[in-house]
Amino acid sequence: MLTIALSKGRILDQSLPLLEKAGINIPKSELESRKLILDTNFDVIKVIVIRASDVPVFVQHGAADLGIAGKDVLIEHGADGVFELLDLGISKCRLMVASKTDKNLNKSTLKVATKYVKSTKEYFYKQGKQIEVIKLSGAMELAPIVGLSDCIVDLVDSGNTLKANNLVPLELIHEISSRLIVNSAAFNTKHSEINDWITKIKKSL
Ligand code: PRT
Ligand code: MG
């Protein structure tokens, strides 16, 4: 049995064509159902659909053998007990510092609103900048507008969300894409099976 963890939304949408090319199909009726464990065209392969940030957690604990998660999520999780196997090149974006156009970011302690606490701390500490992190779970763009923070650290794709909120991208922290990850123990016990799928997925990239 192999369990693959995916997250609803862009990762699921962009992973399905890759998995299909590799030979793993999830019937439409499964995708349209409210089930959290989906059947595939293989009796021995199941797909679980969970929150993006929970994918490395399920894989770390072996509740899923394989998973697809954004590099942003993997950095925050720390990826203990998880091997990164492949850069799938999907769900690409950039983790960036952004703020209002007229904002001076040269103050002694910068207030940064983000859900990416680890990446944010690493980035500013490397620059020797002192920061106060304000942890949010979403709508980061609001923080500088209402005076909650001086700037934000968030994912940027088209830049439209920033623009709509009168914010500008300033500094690049990481280029982000989704990665195929595996539980480290499962990688040993199910090695040949998992390797076969890696080869097929690689070919479908
Ligand atoms: O929704 P939930 O809270 O369950 O989780 P999630 O919001 O983290 O999931 P989801 O599906 O939105 O994102 C999953 C993964 O997609 C992320 O972990 C990233 O690796 C990747 N990804 C790629 C993105 C984006 N592009 C992206 N643009 N995730 C989020 N965004 C958001 C961003 O946070 C901002 O609010 O889109 C907005 C910016 O987009 P633009 O195009 O306006 O710049
Ligand atoms: Mg979301």
Side-chain angles (χ1 to χ4, degrees), residues 54-123:
D54 289 339
V55 169
V57 179
F58 275 69
V59 174
Q60 171 186 24
H61 294 282
D65 302 297
L66 293 164
I68 296 179
K71 186 67 185 175
D72 50 319
V73 161
L74 295 176
I75 294 171
E76 292 305 308
H77 173 264
D80 258 5
V82 164
F83 294 148
E84 207 180 290
L85 297 173
L86 272 182
D87 183 346
L88 299 173
I90 57 169
S91 300
K92 282 187 177 178
C93 57
R94 310 166 97 193
L95 186 67
M96 299 201 71
V97 183
S99 76
K100 296 204 276 189
T101 39
D102 55 353
K103 195 75 195 179
N104 177 9
L105 297 184
N106 290 321
K107 51 198 284 198
S108 61
T109 302
L110 208 56
K111 276 192 189 174
V112 189
T114 189
K115 88 176 176 190
Y116 302 100
V117 174
K118 201 168 165 190
S119 290
T120 297
K121 284 187 176 168
E122 272 170 16
Y123 178 74

Side-chain angles (χ1 to χ4, degrees), residues 7-11 51-53 69-73 91-93 115-116 137 140-141 154-162 176-178:
S7 60
K8 215 178 260 169
R10 69 192 91 215
I11 291 192
R51 299 263 320 236
S53 52
K71 186 67 185 175
D72 50 319
V73 161
S91 300
K92 282 187 177 178
C93 57
K115 88 176 176 190
Y116 302 100
S137 341
M140 263 82 82
E141 296 83 5
D154 195 11
L155 301 174
V156 182
D157 179 16
S158 65
N160 289 339
T161 306
L162 291 181
I176 303 293
S177 56
S178 289

Side-chain angles (χ1 to χ4, degrees), residues 8-52:
K8 215 178 260 169
R10 69 192 91 215
I11 291 192
L12 183 66
D13 296 344
Q14 297 180 20
S15 299
L16 288 179
L18 274 183
L19 293 176
E20 253 169 52
K21 265 197 207 168
I24 301 171
N25 291 288
I26 304 171
K28 213 169 161 220
S29 57
E30 289 292 296
L31 289 167
E32 284 169 353
S33 73
R34 286 169 175 257
K35 287 164 69 178
L36 298 175
I37 304 180
L38 309 183
D39 292 328
T40 70
N41 54 325
F42 292 93
D43 284 343
V44 291
I45 301 179
K46 304 280 180 210
V47 168
I48 59 173
V49 183
I50 53 186
R51 299 263 320 236

Side-chain angles (χ1 to χ4, degrees), residues 118-192:
K118 201 168 165 190
S119 290
T120 297
K121 284 187 176 168
E122 272 170 16
Y123 178 74
F124 285 103
Y125 289 173
K126 257 187 209 156
Q127 301 193 337
K129 275 193 194 156
Q130 211 161 0
I131 59 163
E132 180 190 333
V133 176
I134 297 166
K135 166 103 166 97
L136 297 178
S137 341
M140 263 82 82
E141 296 83 5
L142 195 56
I145 300 170
V146 297
L148 178 61
S149 72
D150 298 303
C151 62
I152 62 169
V153 167
D154 195 11
L155 301 174
V156 182
D157 179 16
S158 65
N160 289 339
T161 306
L162 291 181
K163 214 177 281 170
N165 293 290
N166 293 316
L167 301 177
V168 283
L170 296 174
E171 294 164 31
L172 173 69
I173 300 183
H174 294 297
E175 296 279 357
I176 303 293
S177 56
S178 289
R179 314 296 163 100
L180 180 69
I181 57 171
V182 65
N183 172 272
S184 51
F187 196 48
N188 290 322
T189 54
K190 304 180 184 177
H191 196 79
S192 68

